[in-house]
PDB file of all heavy atoms in Angstrom:
ATOM      1  N   ARG A   1       0.842  -1.194   0.000  1.00  0.00           N
ATOM      2  CA  ARG A   1       0.000   0.000   0.000  1.00  0.00           C
ATOM      3  C   ARG A   1       0.879   1.246   0.000  1.00  0.00           C
ATOM      4  O   ARG A   1       1.959   1.273   0.612  1.00  0.00           O
ATOM      5  CB  ARG A   1      -0.917   0.045   1.227  1.00  0.00           C
ATOM      6  CG  ARG A   1      -1.793  -1.175   1.435  1.00  0.00           C
ATOM      7  CD  ARG A   1      -2.810  -0.935   2.532  1.00  0.00           C
ATOM      8  NE  ARG A   1      -3.855  -0.044   2.051  1.00  0.00           N
ATOM      9  CZ  ARG A   1      -5.018  -0.473   1.534  1.00  0.00           C
ATOM     10  NH1 ARG A   1      -5.268  -1.768   1.457  1.00  0.00           N
ATOM     11  NH2 ARG A   1      -5.915   0.383   1.099  1.00  0.00           N
ATOM     12  N   ASN A   2       0.405   2.278  -0.703  1.00  0.00           N
ATOM     13  CA  ASN A   2       1.014   3.606  -0.591  1.00  0.00           C
ATOM     14  C   ASN A   2      -0.088   4.647  -0.764  1.00  0.00           C
ATOM     15  O   ASN A   2      -1.280   4.319  -0.699  1.00  0.00           O
ATOM     16  CB  ASN A   2       2.159   3.787  -1.600  1.00  0.00           C
ATOM     17  CG  ASN A   2       1.701   3.739  -3.046  1.00  0.00           C
ATOM     18  OD1 ASN A   2       0.497   3.724  -3.325  1.00  0.00           O
ATOM     19  ND2 ASN A   2       2.636   3.724  -3.973  1.00  0.00           N
ATOM     20  N   GLU A   3       0.298   5.888  -1.020  1.00  0.00           N
ATOM     21  CA  GLU A   3      -0.692   6.965  -1.076  1.00  0.00           C
ATOM     22  C   GLU A   3      -1.635   6.837  -2.264  1.00  0.00           C
ATOM     23  O   GLU A   3      -2.672   7.519  -2.320  1.00  0.00           O
ATOM     24  CB  GLU A   3       0.012   8.332  -1.110  1.00  0.00           C
ATOM     25  CG  GLU A   3       0.830   8.621  -2.367  1.00  0.00           C
ATOM     26  CD  GLU A   3       2.266   8.100  -2.282  1.00  0.00           C
ATOM     27  OE1 GLU A   3       2.521   7.229  -1.418  1.00  0.00           O
ATOM     28  OE2 GLU A   3       3.105   8.561  -3.081  1.00  0.00           O
ATOM     29  N   HIS A   4      -1.316   5.970  -3.236  1.00  0.00           N
ATOM     30  CA  HIS A   4      -2.172   5.801  -4.410  1.00  0.00           C
ATOM     31  C   HIS A   4      -3.133   4.622  -4.269  1.00  0.00           C
ATOM     32  O   HIS A   4      -3.918   4.351  -5.179  1.00  0.00           O
ATOM     33  CB  HIS A   4      -1.318   5.591  -5.668  1.00  0.00           C
ATOM     34  CG  HIS A   4      -0.308   6.675  -5.889  1.00  0.00           C
ATOM     35  ND1 HIS A   4      -0.647   7.984  -6.108  1.00  0.00           N
ATOM     36  CD2 HIS A   4       1.050   6.629  -5.903  1.00  0.00           C
ATOM     37  CE1 HIS A   4       0.451   8.720  -6.253  1.00  0.00           C
ATOM     38  NE2 HIS A   4       1.495   7.914  -6.141  1.00  0.00           N
ATOM     39  N   THR A   5      -3.051   3.900  -3.182  1.00  0.00           N
ATOM     40  CA  THR A   5      -3.855   2.695  -3.003  1.00  0.00           C
ATOM     41  C   THR A   5      -5.200   3.036  -2.379  1.00  0.00           C
ATOM     42  O   THR A   5      -5.248   3.638  -1.300  1.00  0.00           O
ATOM     43  CB  THR A   5      -3.120   1.676  -2.120  1.00  0.00           C
ATOM     44  OG1 THR A   5      -1.830   1.420  -2.684  1.00  0.00           O
ATOM     45  CG2 THR A   5      -3.898   0.367  -2.046  1.00  0.00           C
ATOM     46  N   THR A   6      -6.279   2.644  -3.052  1.00  0.00           N
ATOM     47  CA  THR A   6      -7.631   2.843  -2.512  1.00  0.00           C
ATOM     48  C   THR A   6      -8.365   1.519  -2.328  1.00  0.00           C
ATOM     49  O   THR A   6      -9.445   1.496  -1.746  1.00  0.00           O
ATOM     50  CB  THR A   6      -8.460   3.737  -3.453  1.00  0.00           C
ATOM     51  OG1 THR A   6      -8.543   3.117  -4.748  1.00  0.00           O
ATOM     52  CG2 THR A   6      -7.827   5.114  -3.594  1.00  0.00           C
ATOM     53  N   LEU A   7      -7.798   0.424  -2.820  1.00  0.00           N
ATOM     54  CA  LEU A   7      -8.467  -0.873  -2.758  1.00  0.00           C
ATOM     55  C   LEU A   7      -8.536  -1.372  -1.326  1.00  0.00           C
ATOM     56  O   LEU A   7      -7.512  -1.462  -0.639  1.00  0.00           O
ATOM     57  CB  LEU A   7      -7.699  -1.892  -3.622  1.00  0.00           C
ATOM     58  CG  LEU A   7      -8.309  -3.291  -3.724  1.00  0.00           C
ATOM     59  CD1 LEU A   7      -9.564  -3.252  -4.581  1.00  0.00           C
ATOM     60  CD2 LEU A   7      -7.297  -4.278  -4.311  1.00  0.00           C
ATOM     61  N   PRO A   8      -9.726  -1.739  -0.834  1.00  0.00           N
ATOM     62  CA  PRO A   8      -9.824  -2.296   0.514  1.00  0.00           C
ATOM     63  C   PRO A   8      -9.395  -3.761   0.522  1.00  0.00           C
ATOM     64  O   PRO A   8      -9.476  -4.454  -0.487  1.00  0.00           O
ATOM     65  CB  PRO A   8     -11.315  -2.166   0.834  1.00  0.00           C
ATOM     66  CG  PRO A   8     -11.998  -2.253  -0.505  1.00  0.00           C
ATOM     67  CD  PRO A   8     -11.055  -1.579  -1.472  1.00  0.00           C
ATOM     68  N   GLU A   9      -8.925  -4.221   1.676  1.00  0.00           N
ATOM     69  CA  GLU A   9      -8.591  -5.631   1.817  1.00  0.00           C
ATOM     70  C   GLU A   9      -9.873  -6.439   1.993  1.00  0.00           C
ATOM     71  O   GLU A   9     -10.836  -5.993   2.613  1.00  0.00           O
ATOM     72  CB  GLU A   9      -7.664  -5.842   3.015  1.00  0.00           C
ATOM     73  CG  GLU A   9      -6.320  -5.162   2.845  1.00  0.00           C
ATOM     74  CD  GLU A   9      -5.293  -5.648   3.842  1.00  0.00           C
ATOM     75  OE1 GLU A   9      -5.648  -6.477   4.698  1.00  0.00           O
ATOM     76  OE2 GLU A   9      -4.124  -5.224   3.752  1.00  0.00           O
ATOM     77  N   ARG A  10      -9.866  -7.649   1.411  1.00  0.00           N
ATOM     78  CA  ARG A  10     -11.047  -8.511   1.488  1.00  0.00           C
ATOM     79  C   ARG A  10     -10.605  -9.938   1.780  1.00  0.00           C
ATOM     80  O   ARG A  10      -9.612 -10.418   1.243  1.00  0.00           O
ATOM     81  CB  ARG A  10     -11.825  -8.491   0.167  1.00  0.00           C
ATOM     82  CG  ARG A  10     -12.427  -7.140  -0.194  1.00  0.00           C
ATOM     83  CD  ARG A  10     -13.131  -7.209  -1.534  1.00  0.00           C
ATOM     84  NE  ARG A  10     -13.718  -5.923  -1.913  1.00  0.00           N
ATOM     85  CZ  ARG A  10     -14.308  -5.681  -3.079  1.00  0.00           C
ATOM     86  NH1 ARG A  10     -14.384  -6.651  -3.982  1.00  0.00           N
ATOM     87  NH2 ARG A  10     -14.818  -4.500  -3.341  1.00  0.00           N
ATOM     88  N   ASN A  11     -11.382 -10.590   2.642  1.00  0.00           N
ATOM     89  CA  ASN A  11     -11.136 -12.019   2.902  1.00  0.00           C
ATOM     90  C   ASN A  11     -12.286 -12.888   2.423  1.00  0.00           C
ATOM     91  O   ASN A  11     -12.297 -14.091   2.656  1.00  0.00           O
ATOM     92  CB  ASN A  11     -10.858 -12.270   4.385  1.00  0.00           C
ATOM     93  CG  ASN A  11     -12.008 -11.806   5.272  1.00  0.00           C
ATOM     94  OD1 ASN A  11     -13.127 -11.593   4.809  1.00  0.00           O
ATOM     95  ND2 ASN A  11     -11.717 -11.635   6.553  1.00  0.00           N
ATOM     96  N   ASP A  12     -13.261 -12.262   1.756  1.00  0.00           N
ATOM     97  CA  ASP A  12     -14.375 -13.026   1.181  1.00  0.00           C
ATOM     98  C   ASP A  12     -14.882 -12.265  -0.034  1.00  0.00           C
ATOM     99  O   ASP A  12     -15.549 -11.240   0.095  1.00  0.00           O
ATOM    100  CB  ASP A  12     -15.506 -13.211   2.198  1.00  0.00           C
ATOM    101  CG  ASP A  12     -16.614 -14.109   1.653  1.00  0.00           C
ATOM    102  OD1 ASP A  12     -16.392 -14.776   0.622  1.00  0.00           O
ATOM    103  OD2 ASP A  12     -17.712 -14.128   2.252  1.00  0.00           O
ATOM    104  N   ARG A  13     -14.542 -12.760  -1.199  1.00  0.00           N
ATOM    105  CA  ARG A  13     -14.931 -12.098  -2.445  1.00  0.00           C
ATOM    106  C   ARG A  13     -15.226 -13.149  -3.502  1.00  0.00           C
ATOM    107  O   ARG A  13     -14.929 -14.330  -3.334  1.00  0.00           O
ATOM    108  CB  ARG A  13     -13.809 -11.183  -2.941  1.00  0.00           C
ATOM    109  CG  ARG A  13     -12.547 -11.946  -3.340  1.00  0.00           C
ATOM    110  CD  ARG A  13     -11.512 -11.063  -4.002  1.00  0.00           C
ATOM    111  NE  ARG A  13     -10.330 -11.858  -4.391  1.00  0.00           N
ATOM    112  CZ  ARG A  13      -9.308 -11.372  -5.084  1.00  0.00           C
ATOM    113  NH1 ARG A  13      -9.285 -10.109  -5.440  1.00  0.00           N
ATOM    114  NH2 ARG A  13      -8.291 -12.151  -5.418  1.00  0.00           N
ATOM    115  N   ILE A  14     -15.805 -12.686  -4.601  1.00  0.00           N
ATOM    116  CA  ILE A  14     -16.005 -13.549  -5.763  1.00  0.00           C
ATOM    117  C   ILE A  14     -14.701 -13.600  -6.560  1.00  0.00           C
ATOM    118  O   ILE A  14     -14.075 -12.563  -6.797  1.00  0.00           O
ATOM    119  CB  ILE A  14     -17.154 -13.025  -6.638  1.00  0.00           C
ATOM    120  CG1 ILE A  14     -18.500 -13.260  -5.941  1.00  0.00           C
ATOM    121  CG2 ILE A  14     -17.152 -13.702  -8.009  1.00  0.00           C
ATOM    122  CD1 ILE A  14     -19.687 -12.724  -6.709  1.00  0.00           C
ATOM    123  N   LEU A  15     -14.297 -14.789  -6.930  1.00  0.00           N
ATOM    124  CA  LEU A  15     -13.154 -14.950  -7.824  1.00  0.00           C
ATOM    125  C   LEU A  15     -13.699 -15.409  -9.178  1.00  0.00           C
ATOM    126  O   LEU A  15     -14.280 -16.496  -9.297  1.00  0.00           O
ATOM    127  CB  LEU A  15     -12.157 -15.964  -7.274  1.00  0.00           C
ATOM    128  CG  LEU A  15     -10.776 -16.025  -7.935  1.00  0.00           C
ATOM    129  CD1 LEU A  15      -9.740 -16.601  -6.972  1.00  0.00           C
ATOM    130  CD2 LEU A  15     -10.785 -16.859  -9.210  1.00  0.00           C
ATOM    131  N   CYS A  16     -13.546 -14.567 -10.158  1.00  0.00           N
ATOM    132  CA  CYS A  16     -14.104 -14.862 -11.479  1.00  0.00           C
ATOM    133  C   CYS A  16     -13.107 -14.428 -12.539  1.00  0.00           C
ATOM    134  O   CYS A  16     -12.447 -13.397 -12.401  1.00  0.00           O
ATOM    135  CB  CYS A  16     -15.437 -14.123 -11.668  1.00  0.00           C
ATOM    136  SG  CYS A  16     -16.223 -14.400 -13.274  1.00  0.00           S
ATOM    137  N   GLY A  17     -12.983 -15.221 -13.586  1.00  0.00           N
ATOM    138  CA  GLY A  17     -12.058 -14.852 -14.643  1.00  0.00           C
ATOM    139  C   GLY A  17     -12.190 -15.723 -15.872  1.00  0.00           C
ATOM    140  O   GLY A  17     -12.892 -16.737 -15.876  1.00  0.00           O
ATOM    141  N   GLU A  18     -11.510 -15.292 -16.896  1.00  0.00           N
ATOM    142  CA  GLU A  18     -11.462 -16.022 -18.163  1.00  0.00           C
ATOM    143  C   GLU A  18     -10.050 -16.568 -18.320  1.00  0.00           C
ATOM    144  O   GLU A  18      -9.081 -15.802 -18.329  1.00  0.00           O
ATOM    145  CB  GLU A  18     -11.836 -15.096 -19.318  1.00  0.00           C
ATOM    146  CG  GLU A  18     -12.048 -15.798 -20.644  1.00  0.00           C
ATOM    147  CD  GLU A  18     -12.606 -14.858 -21.697  1.00  0.00           C
ATOM    148  OE1 GLU A  18     -13.834 -14.748 -21.808  1.00  0.00           O
ATOM    149  OE2 GLU A  18     -11.798 -14.204 -22.379  1.00  0.00           O
ATOM    150  N   LEU A  19      -9.956 -17.877 -18.457  1.00  0.00           N
ATOM    151  CA  LEU A  19      -8.662 -18.549 -18.409  1.00  0.00           C
ATOM    152  C   LEU A  19      -8.148 -18.887 -19.806  1.00  0.00           C
ATOM    153  O   LEU A  19      -8.892 -19.350 -20.666  1.00  0.00           O
ATOM    154  CB  LEU A  19      -8.774 -19.842 -17.594  1.00  0.00           C
ATOM    155  CG  LEU A  19      -7.458 -20.540 -17.247  1.00  0.00           C
ATOM    156  CD1 LEU A  19      -6.770 -19.816 -16.098  1.00  0.00           C
ATOM    157  CD2 LEU A  19      -7.695 -21.994 -16.871  1.00  0.00           C
ATOM    158  N   PHE A  20      -6.855 -18.633 -20.003  1.00  0.00           N
ATOM    159  CA  PHE A  20      -6.111 -19.078 -21.187  1.00  0.00           C
ATOM    160  C   PHE A  20      -5.001 -19.988 -20.688  1.00  0.00           C
ATOM    161  O   PHE A  20      -4.240 -19.624 -19.787  1.00  0.00           O
ATOM    162  CB  PHE A  20      -5.524 -17.879 -21.930  1.00  0.00           C
ATOM    163  CG  PHE A  20      -4.540 -18.245 -23.015  1.00  0.00           C
ATOM    164  CD1 PHE A  20      -4.958 -18.407 -24.324  1.00  0.00           C
ATOM    165  CD2 PHE A  20      -3.188 -18.414 -22.732  1.00  0.00           C
ATOM    166  CE1 PHE A  20      -4.054 -18.730 -25.323  1.00  0.00           C
ATOM    167  CE2 PHE A  20      -2.285 -18.747 -23.725  1.00  0.00           C
ATOM    168  CZ  PHE A  20      -2.720 -18.900 -25.022  1.00  0.00           C
ATOM    169  N   CYS A  21      -4.913 -21.167 -21.253  1.00  0.00           N
ATOM    170  CA  CYS A  21      -3.915 -22.141 -20.814  1.00  0.00           C
ATOM    171  C   CYS A  21      -3.301 -22.799 -22.050  1.00  0.00           C
ATOM    172  O   CYS A  21      -4.022 -23.344 -22.896  1.00  0.00           O
ATOM    173  CB  CYS A  21      -4.578 -23.184 -19.915  1.00  0.00           C
ATOM    174  SG  CYS A  21      -3.427 -24.193 -18.983  1.00  0.00           S
ATOM    175  N   LYS A  22      -1.984 -22.748 -22.155  1.00  0.00           N
ATOM    176  CA  LYS A  22      -1.282 -23.317 -23.311  1.00  0.00           C
ATOM    177  C   LYS A  22      -0.075 -24.101 -22.816  1.00  0.00           C
ATOM    178  O   LYS A  22       0.678 -23.617 -21.973  1.00  0.00           O
ATOM    179  CB  LYS A  22      -0.829 -22.184 -24.246  1.00  0.00           C
ATOM    180  CG  LYS A  22      -0.027 -22.629 -25.459  1.00  0.00           C
ATOM    181  CD  LYS A  22       0.387 -21.418 -26.282  1.00  0.00           C
ATOM    182  CE  LYS A  22       1.296 -21.793 -27.433  1.00  0.00           C
ATOM    183  NZ  LYS A  22       1.721 -20.601 -28.214  1.00  0.00           N
ATOM    184  N   TRP A  23       0.084 -25.313 -23.338  1.00  0.00           N
ATOM    185  CA  TRP A  23       1.175 -26.163 -22.879  1.00  0.00           C
ATOM    186  C   TRP A  23       1.927 -26.750 -24.066  1.00  0.00           C
ATOM    187  O   TRP A  23       1.409 -26.858 -25.178  1.00  0.00           O
ATOM    188  CB  TRP A  23       0.650 -27.273 -21.975  1.00  0.00           C
ATOM    189  CG  TRP A  23      -0.396 -28.162 -22.587  1.00  0.00           C
ATOM    190  CD1 TRP A  23      -0.205 -29.305 -23.306  1.00  0.00           C
ATOM    191  CD2 TRP A  23      -1.824 -27.945 -22.550  1.00  0.00           C
ATOM    192  NE1 TRP A  23      -1.405 -29.828 -23.705  1.00  0.00           N
ATOM    193  CE2 TRP A  23      -2.420 -29.017 -23.260  1.00  0.00           C
ATOM    194  CE3 TRP A  23      -2.654 -26.964 -21.990  1.00  0.00           C
ATOM    195  CZ2 TRP A  23      -3.797 -29.126 -23.427  1.00  0.00           C
ATOM    196  CZ3 TRP A  23      -4.026 -27.075 -22.164  1.00  0.00           C
ATOM    197  CH2 TRP A  23      -4.581 -28.144 -22.865  1.00  0.00           C
ATOM    198  N   SER A  24       3.170 -27.157 -23.802  1.00  0.00           N
ATOM    199  CA  SER A  24       3.986 -27.782 -24.838  1.00  0.00           C
ATOM    200  C   SER A  24       4.255 -29.228 -24.456  1.00  0.00           C
ATOM    201  O   SER A  24       4.382 -29.572 -23.276  1.00  0.00           O
ATOM    202  CB  SER A  24       5.308 -27.036 -25.024  1.00  0.00           C
ATOM    203  OG  SER A  24       6.111 -27.156 -23.867  1.00  0.00           O
ATOM    204  N   TYR A  25       4.343 -30.071 -25.487  1.00  0.00           N
ATOM    205  CA  TYR A  25       4.651 -31.483 -25.290  1.00  0.00           C
ATOM    206  C   TYR A  25       6.136 -31.713 -25.516  1.00  0.00           C
ATOM    207  O   TYR A  25       6.805 -30.952 -26.222  1.00  0.00           O
ATOM    208  CB  TYR A  25       3.861 -32.347 -26.276  1.00  0.00           C
ATOM    209  CG  TYR A  25       2.368 -32.368 -26.025  1.00  0.00           C
ATOM    210  CD1 TYR A  25       1.502 -31.629 -26.822  1.00  0.00           C
ATOM    211  CD2 TYR A  25       1.826 -33.129 -25.002  1.00  0.00           C
ATOM    212  CE1 TYR A  25       0.128 -31.651 -26.604  1.00  0.00           C
ATOM    213  CE2 TYR A  25       0.459 -33.156 -24.776  1.00  0.00           C
ATOM    214  CZ  TYR A  25      -0.377 -32.416 -25.586  1.00  0.00           C
ATOM    215  OH  TYR A  25      -1.733 -32.441 -25.361  1.00  0.00           O
ATOM    216  N   GLY A  26       6.628 -32.787 -24.935  1.00  0.00           N
ATOM    217  CA  GLY A  26       7.980 -33.219 -25.240  1.00  0.00           C
ATOM    218  C   GLY A  26       7.949 -34.100 -26.475  1.00  0.00           C
ATOM    219  O   GLY A  26       7.587 -33.665 -27.560  1.00  0.00           O
ATOM    220  N   GLU A  27       8.304 -35.356 -26.329  1.00  0.00           N
ATOM    221  CA  GLU A  27       8.227 -36.302 -27.439  1.00  0.00           C
ATOM    222  C   GLU A  27       6.776 -36.470 -27.851  1.00  0.00           C
ATOM    223  O   GLU A  27       5.909 -36.743 -27.023  1.00  0.00           O
ATOM    224  CB  GLU A  27       8.811 -37.649 -27.017  1.00  0.00           C
ATOM    225  CG  GLU A  27       8.945 -38.651 -28.139  1.00  0.00           C
ATOM    226  CD  GLU A  27      10.051 -38.292 -29.115  1.00  0.00           C
ATOM    227  OE1 GLU A  27      11.015 -37.635 -28.701  1.00  0.00           O
ATOM    228  OE2 GLU A  27       9.934 -38.664 -30.294  1.00  0.00           O
ATOM    229  N   CYS A  28       6.485 -36.301 -29.137  1.00  0.00           N
ATOM    230  CA  CYS A  28       5.099 -36.301 -29.619  1.00  0.00           C
ATOM    231  C   CYS A  28       4.670 -37.644 -30.205  1.00  0.00           C
ATOM    232  O   CYS A  28       3.766 -37.698 -31.031  1.00  0.00           O
ATOM    233  CB  CYS A  28       4.908 -35.195 -30.655  1.00  0.00           C
ATOM    234  SG  CYS A  28       5.009 -33.550 -29.959  1.00  0.00           S
ATOM    235  N   ARG A  29       5.319 -38.714 -29.818  1.00  0.00           N
ATOM    236  CA  ARG A  29       4.952 -40.021 -30.343  1.00  0.00           C
ATOM    237  C   ARG A  29       4.036 -40.755 -29.373  1.00  0.00           C
ATOM    238  O   ARG A  29       4.220 -40.697 -28.162  1.00  0.00           O
ATOM    239  CB  ARG A  29       6.214 -40.852 -30.601  1.00  0.00           C
ATOM    240  CG  ARG A  29       7.137 -40.262 -31.662  1.00  0.00           C
ATOM    241  CD  ARG A  29       8.425 -41.062 -31.776  1.00  0.00           C
ATOM    242  NE  ARG A  29       9.342 -40.477 -32.739  1.00  0.00           N
ATOM    243  CZ  ARG A  29      10.586 -40.873 -32.919  1.00  0.00           C
ATOM    244  NH1 ARG A  29      11.065 -41.884 -32.199  1.00  0.00           N
ATOM    245  NH2 ARG A  29      11.359 -40.287 -33.811  1.00  0.00           N
TER     246      ARG A  29
END
């Protein structure tokens, strides 16, 4: 926190988001 912070702390909130997940394989056989 500093003088620019206005966000209140929360211990109970909704967690919502849009997920992007990309992975690489090793041997592809």
Side-chain angles (χ1 to χ4, degrees):
R1 305 189 74 95
N2 64 8
E3 66 273 18
H4 305 298
T5 305
T6 59
L7 183 72
E9 296 195 357
R10 295 178 180 175
N11 58 17
D12 185 13
R13 65 172 181 175
I14 288 178
L15 193 156
C16 180
E18 190 172 270
L19 190 77
F20 170 93
C21 194
K22 177 181 175 181
W23 57 89
S24 66
Y25 292 103
E27 187 71 28
C28 291
R29 297 175 183 172

